[in-house]
């Protein structure tokens, strides 16, 4: 069976809870979405706001403080916010990704060649058994023991070699602070660690992003050679318009291609636009460089007709919070009105103490 690009787009929006807001607890949403992009502290909050009915920042902040979700380097070596169980199950699977990134790093390669990696990571485990450490503290403590490499190189080594959780208040709404690390086994000592299972990881990806080609799963996870995992699995298969094989869960359903896709405000670094080898199912190639900057920053996006059609950003000054919308093309009046309404709701949610203003960049 062949699937059109339109069906793939609607399937993505459906599984990413973007066709309609879901009524589910924040923890269930984080689990369903296979985690949330979290390079910066607060994008996960915006991701859940646009997907869930009645979501409040404290709903996610409490989960971090209660150790039910954590911030940890996972997919592609990038910080994600995931459930405690997923952190323990997935971190061993992506160790190959972290090791590959360490070997490819040119900045720290030479100084790290002068130290024994196993001894450094063992020392880091011993230090973290005593208390959490900030990046600067951990690097300095290791450099004191192993002076042949500077502090920054040591921090880079253990971040890639150990499952380090970023502790609150990092990532807690309205709070600030540099990353402070603890070994996942210490921070999550009360959580039963599921057995690492690549096939289970693939199923979770498909539940959140499918149907998808193998290259999509590899792009999301950073893992390679996943055909060896995917092809023996009991999965449904389709073909996309390019005749590539798409895999999906046998029990998964697909929305009709005529299903309406209401306008949405996607937060910065939203995983919907980052988790495919072929991002054009939601991000037209003509707009890619306008959404994703050269240094890898991903702006908040306007989702119009199911595809990225602009960007948004907020600014506060003198008691006023402004949300500025930029459209890449002229929009229908109904979409303009819907996005303005969404913008007012977002400001009321994010900045309840301030006055609010929604404005369009010139040229709409």
């Amino acid at each position: 069976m062949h699937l059109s690009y339109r069906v793939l787009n609607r399937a993505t929006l459906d599984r990413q809870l973007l066709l309609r807001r879901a009524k589910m607890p924040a923890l269930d949403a984080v689990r369903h979405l296979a985690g949330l992009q979290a390079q910066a502290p607060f994008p996960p909050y915006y991701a859940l706001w646009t997907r869930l009915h009645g979501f409040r920042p404290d709903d996610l902040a409490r989960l971090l403080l209660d150790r039910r979700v954590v911030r940890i380097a996972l997919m592609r070596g990038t910080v994600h916010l995931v459930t405690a169980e997923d952190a323990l199950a997935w971190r061993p699977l992506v160790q190959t990704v972290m090791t590959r990134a360490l070997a490819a790093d040119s900045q720290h390669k030479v100084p790290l060649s002068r130290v024994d990696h196993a001894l450094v990571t063992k020392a880091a485990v011993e230090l973290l058994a005593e208390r959490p450490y900030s990046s600067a503290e951990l690097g300095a403590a290791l450099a004191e023991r192993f002076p042949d490499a500077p502090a920054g190189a040591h921090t880079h080594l253990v971040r890639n070699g150990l499952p380090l959780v970023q502790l609150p208040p990092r990532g807690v709404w309205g709070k600030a602070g540099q990353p402070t690390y603890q070994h996942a086994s210490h921070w999550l000592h009360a959580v039963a660690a599921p057995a690492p299972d690549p096939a289970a990881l693939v199923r979770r990806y498909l539940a959140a992003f499918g149907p998808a080609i193998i290259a999509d799963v590899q792009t999301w996870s950073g893992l390679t050679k996943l055909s060896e995992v995917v092809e023996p699995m009991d999965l449904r298969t389709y073909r996309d318009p390019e005749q590539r094989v798409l895999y999906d869960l046998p029990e998964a359903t697909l929305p009709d291609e005529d299903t309406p896709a209401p306008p949405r405000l996607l937060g910065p670094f939203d995983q919907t636009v980052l988790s495919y080898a072929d991002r054009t199912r939601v991000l037209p190639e003509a707009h890619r460089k306008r959404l994703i900057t050269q240094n890898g920053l991903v702006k908040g996006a306007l989702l119009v007709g199911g595809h990225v059609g602009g960007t948004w950003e907020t600014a506060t000054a003198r008691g006023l919070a402004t949300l500025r919308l930029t459209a890449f093309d002229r929009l229908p009046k109904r979409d303009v009105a819907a996005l303005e309404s969404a913008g007012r709701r977002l400001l009321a949610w994010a900045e309840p103490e301030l006055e609010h203003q929604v404005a369009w960049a010139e040229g709409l």
Side-chain angles (χ1 to χ4, degrees), residues 111-248:
L112 287 179
S113 69
R114 298 193 292 263
V115 297
D116 186 314
H117 292 196
L119 288 178
V120 173
T121 54
K122 181 176 182 291
V125 171
E126 293 170 352
L127 289 168
L128 291 165
E130 300 172 359
R131 66 173 179 86
Y133 278 75
S134 70
S135 296
E137 289 174 334
L138 187 56
L142 291 170
E144 185 175 346
R145 295 192 186 189
F146 305 95
D148 288 337
H154 285 300
T155 302
H156 183 69
L157 171 59
V158 297
R159 180 188 179 275
N160 283 278
L162 294 173
L164 299 184
V165 173
Q166 292 187 5
L167 304 191
R170 183 74 170 177
V172 173
W173 184 261
K175 303 293 184 181
Q178 294 301 308
T180 299
Y181 293 108
Q182 181 54 279
H183 197 285
S185 65
H186 297 300
W187 187 247
L188 301 176
H189 63 89
V191 179
D197 182 353
L201 182 69
V202 170
R203 285 191 289 271
R204 292 289 300 284
Y205 173 83
L206 294 176
F209 298 99
I213 61 175
I214 291 174
D216 292 329
V217 193
Q218 295 184 157
T219 295
W220 170 73
S221 64
L223 297 171
T224 59
K225 300 180 180 179
L226 282 183
S227 59
E228 301 170 6
V229 176
V230 173
E231 289 173 357
M233 293 174 63
D234 179 22
L235 299 173
R236 182 177 296 174
T237 59
Y238 304 98
R239 294 276 179 174
D240 72 5
E242 303 298 320
Q243 300 302 313
R244 296 173 296 190
V245 177
L246 296 156
Y247 294 88
D248 203 6

Side-chain angles (χ1 to χ4, degrees), residues 49 321 341-356:
W49 173 83
S341 177
R344 288 189 289 270
R345 293 195 304 273
L346 185 147
L347 289 175
W349 168 81
E351 302 289 353
E353 307 293 327
L354 304 181
E355 297 293 324
H356 304 142

